[in-house]
Amino acid sequence: MKNTEIGYFILNAAVSFLLAPLMMGVINKTKAFFAGRKGVSIFQLYFDIFKLMKKERVYSTSSNWILRIAPASTMGLTILALLFLPLGTFRSPLSFTGDVILFFYFLGTARFLTVLAALETGSSFEGMGASREVQFSALAEGTLFAVLGCLALRCGDPGLSGILQKNSLQLSSLATLAPLVLVAGAFYIILLCENSRLPFDDPETHLELTMIHEAMVLDYGGADLAAVFYAAALKFYLFASFLVMLLLPEDCYRTITGAVLAVAGVFVIAVITGIVESCMARSRFLKLPQLLAGATVLAALAIILQCFLQGGLD
Amino acid sequence: MVKAAGGVFLGEPRTKESAEAREVTKSMRVSMYFLFVLSLVMVILAPCIVRFTGGETAAGLAKLTAKLSVFSVICTVFLFVMLLLQNLFCKGGKRVSPTWDCGYARPDARMEYTATAFTQPLADFFAPVLKRAKKIRKPEKIFAEEASYEEKNDDAGLEYIWKKLAQVGSFLAGKIHFLQSGNLHGYIFMVLLVLGGMLVYAMLKK
C-alpha cells in the first residue's frame, strides 16, 4: 500500500473523529433558523463533552460491570467501524471482501451493549427505551440488508469500499439512476431510524415516555455520558458519509475534490436532516413500522429494477 | 438474546431464589476460562491452523485469515485501551447511587421491564403470523393491588405448516396401513407382485 493511501486513511479518520460533533451543531442550528431562533453555538456538543469529562460518574446500585464498560466500548466499536470507511477514491487499508457486514455489525454490537446496559439499571424507563430501540433496529436491519444487497448487485463488489466507490451517480447514463435514487431514499430512512432522529425519535425531548435512545442513557453521567454523546454523533457521521459517497457524481469522484466533497456532503445531510426535523413532528410509535416497511419496499423495488437493467442476477 | 440476558441476569433479582443465587466455585469456572483462552489462541493462530489443515491449497485463505486475526487482536486491544482511557480522562470520580426512575427513590423488580414487555412491540408487529395466546388480568379498584399480563407465542410454522402436513401424511398412511399386515407371506407376495409388474413393464417397453 502506498504512503499516500495510508496518509489519506489517517486524515479521513482524524477529520471524521473531529468533525462528528459539529454535525449535531449544524442540525440544531438549522432547526433554530427554521424556528426563527438564534439557537446555541454549532460547537455546543464539544463544550458539553468537555464539561462532562470533568464531572462525576454515577452508577446504579442495580448495575454491575456492563453499565461501566458500555459507553467506552460503544465509542470504541463506532471508531472501529469508522476505520473501514473509504475517503473518495482511497480505499480503507483494512478493507476486505464482505467488510460491509462487519461495518454495520460493529454498530450493531455497540447498540447491543447500550441496550444491555439500559436493562441492567432496572429502570422501567430505560427498559422501555431499550425495547423500542430493539424493535425499530430489528425492523430496520432487513431494510438495510436489502439496500446493501442492491448496491452489491449494482457494482458486483460486496466490500464497503467497493460499494461506496463503484456506486457513484453516473449522470451520463440516466437509466441507471433510478435504482440508486430509490436505494438512497431507503437508506436515508434507515439513517433517521438508526440515529433516533425525527420522525422516529425526538432527540430534543425530555419526556421519558416518548424517548427511545435518550431513555436508554438516563443513568449515565460524567465521562460516560460524554462517550455516549460522542458515539451517537460519530454514528450519525458514518451513516451520512455512507449516503454522501453513494450520491457523489462519477466525474468528481476520481479526484481530490471528490474527497473534499465527501466531507462537505456530510454537512449537507446535516442541514437536510435539520430541515426535515423542522418540518415534521414525531410520528406515533404504531405508525413507524409502516415507514420502515415503505423503505423496505423502496429497496426491493430498486433490486428488481437493477435486475431488469442488467438482465438478471449475474 | 437481549431478552434472555436482560430478563434473567440484569436488573434487580425478580424472585427470592434469584436474589440468593451465587457464583459457582472457581473449579467449575476453570473450564470456561480454558475455553476462553483456547478461543483467543485459535484467533491468533488461525492462519497456521488453516495452512496446517488445508495444506498449500489453503494459502489464499490463510492470507485472509492472517489479516482477520491481526485485526481481531487490534480490535480487542483497542477496546481495552478505550476502557483505560475512560478511567484516565475522567477527573470527576465515581459514585454509586440508586437508579434514577422519575421520582422513585429505590425502584424494585416489580417496576422493571419484564421479558414479555420487552418483546411485546415486536410480537405485536408480527401478530398476524404468530399463534398468540394472551392472558390479561386488569387492575381493579382505585388502589389496584395486582395486575398481570401473560403472553404465549407458539411456533406458527409448526402449527400452521408442519402439523398440517403431518396430518395429511398421517391420513394417507392410515389409508395404506392395511398393507402392513405383519404376515411374512403377505410381504413376499407383494414383493412378487412388484417384481412381476416391473417385468411386464420392461417387456412392454422393449
Side-chain angles (χ1 to χ4, degrees), chain B residues 3-197:
Chain B
K3 176 191 171 184
V8 177
F9 299 112
L10 305 178
E12 292 291 328
R14 288 176 169 82
T15 58
K16 191 169 168 261
E17 289 76 15
S18 59
E20 289 168 359
R22 295 286 174 271
E23 183 58 277
V24 292
T25 55
K26 274 186 184 173
S27 58
M28 289 180 78
R29 278 181 278 162
V30 162
S31 56
M32 297 300 289
Y33 293 140
F34 175 72
L35 285 174
F36 171 69
V37 173
L38 195 66
S39 306
L40 272 182
V41 170
M42 281 189 75
V43 167
I44 294 165
L45 298 180
C48 307
I49 296 168
V50 169
R51 196 176 282 272
F52 179 73
T53 52
E56 287 306 312
T57 50
L61 187 62
K63 200 176 169 185
L64 174 68
T65 321
K67 201 172 177 181
L68 286 175
S69 290
V70 171
F71 183 67
S72 306
V73 173
I74 291 172
C75 285
T76 314
V77 172
F78 180 75
L79 289 178
F80 276 112
V81 170
M82 286 301 296
L83 289 172
L84 278 174
L85 286 177
Q86 185 194 24
N87 285 304
L88 283 175
F89 280 100
C90 182
K91 296 169 186 168
K94 294 179 198 170
R95 184 163 57 91
V96 177
S97 167
T99 299
W100 182 89
D101 211 23
C102 204
Y104 290 98
R106 192 173 183 83
D108 60 26
R110 287 193 64 199
M111 296 177 197
E112 282 178 20
Y113 238 52
T114 60
T116 307
F118 185 77
T119 48
Q120 194 196 346
L122 256 185
D124 283 345
F125 182 78
F126 290 108
V129 292
L130 287 174
K131 187 175 163 59
R132 296 177 87 191
K134 287 184 183 178
K135 194 175 166 189
I136 305 170
R137 194 161 52 144
K138 290 183 177 175
E140 290 173 354
K141 302 177 191 171
I142 297 171
F143 296 101
E145 289 176 353
E146 283 188 2
S148 66
Y149 175 86
E150 282 178 48
E151 185 183 297
K152 195 178 172 195
N153 293 308
D154 284 331
D155 187 343
L158 180 71
E159 289 294 323
Y160 297 124
I161 301 171
W162 302 116
K163 274 191 179 175
K164 299 288 177 199
L165 282 174
Q167 278 173 2
V168 172
S170 179
F171 172 78
L172 292 173
K175 291 290 172 195
I176 56 168
H177 184 246
F178 71 93
L179 292 172
Q180 286 187 317
S181 57
N183 187 344
L184 187 62
H185 298 90
Y187 292 147
I188 293 170
F189 179 66
M190 276 192 274
V191 170
L192 197 67
L193 275 182
V194 172
L195 285 172

Side-chain angles (χ1 to χ4, degrees), chain A residues 57 59-62 121 131 224, chain B residues 12 86 93 95 97 99 118:
Chain A
R57 284 183 287 178
Y59 294 115
S60 159
T61 45
S62 307
T121 60
S131 170
D224 290 342
Chain B
E12 292 291 328
Q86 185 194 24
R95 184 163 57 91
S97 167
T99 299
F118 185 77

